[in-house]
Amino acid sequence: MRVPTLTEVVDWPPVQLVVVEGTALVQPHAHAEDAVEVCIDEAAELARAEPDVEPPNEPTPSLADVPMSDAPLHEPPPTPQIDEAALARRIFTDLQHQIDSMLDQQLRVAMQPLLNRLADTFALQAREELASALRDMVALAVSREMIRLRAAAPPSDSAGP
């Protein structure tokens, strides 16, 4: 026996539906063996009964009865002409955009810690240079002010008589 695939349509023989009227309900206190025997007997009687369906008057055509023609039923559509150069340019452009964005992202991820350290180092060096320059300017301003104050001060008589 051949096993059909999942995508294959399988025709099974038609199943006749049988409607049973007037079936007796089994009471919960009834003996289970008697109920099973009654159901088996009814099923056997229904299986022996002939169906009321009439066979069709017209014979069903088979594949051997269908005339074969030389031309296929559906001709495949003509394949469009492909411009390989234009296709290669389009694919190259798409790939280039993807590679550019991926490279940009990777560079951002790789460069972020380096740039953060560089900014921290730059800020520290600028702060140190600014403090040094400010100390030099204050020292120069203090020395000029001292010179001006000494020049403006009256001579003292400490040379004595």
Side-chain angles (χ1 to χ4, degrees):
M1 177 176 183
R2 190 178 70 77
V3 177
T5 61
L6 289 177
T7 57
E8 185 177 351
V9 177
V10 179
D11 292 325
W12 292 97
V15 177
Q16 296 178 357
L17 297 177
V18 178
V19 177
V20 179
E21 296 179 12
T23 58
L25 296 175
V26 178
Q27 299 295 329
H29 55 43
H31 293 32
E33 292 178 9
D34 294 337
V36 170
E37 287 178 14
V38 169
C39 291
I40 290 175
D41 292 340
E42 288 177 4
E45 287 176 19
L46 290 174
R48 277 180 260 147
E50 299 230 357
D52 295 339
V53 178
E54 295 180 17
N57 293 338
E58 299 176 6
T60 306
S62 66
L63 288 178
D65 298 336
V66 178
M68 293 293 292
S69 65
D70 293 335
L73 294 176
H74 299 331
E75 291 185 18
T79 56
Q81 197 67 305
I82 298 174
D83 183 10
E84 291 182 23
L87 180 64
R89 282 192 303 271
R90 184 177 56 85
I91 291 174
F92 180 72
T93 303
D94 291 345
L95 284 175
Q96 187 175 9
H97 289 301
Q98 291 176 4
I99 289 171
D100 286 346
S101 63
M102 186 178 63
L103 183 61
D104 184 51
Q105 179 65 25
Q106 292 295 325
L107 282 174
R108 286 178 191 267
V109 168
M111 295 294 290
Q112 189 64 41
L114 297 172
L115 292 174
N116 287 343
R117 273 188 263 143
L118 182 63
D120 291 344
T121 303
F122 178 72
L124 181 63
Q125 286 178 353
R127 193 176 302 125
E128 289 173 358
E129 288 180 19
L130 182 61
S132 174
L134 189 58
R135 274 193 300 273
D136 291 344
M137 288 173 48
V138 169
L140 182 63
V142 168
S143 67
R144 285 185 182 165
E145 189 64 23
M146 291 295 291
I147 292 172
R148 190 181 66 79
L149 288 176
R150 286 188 190 143
S156 64
D157 290 332
S158 57

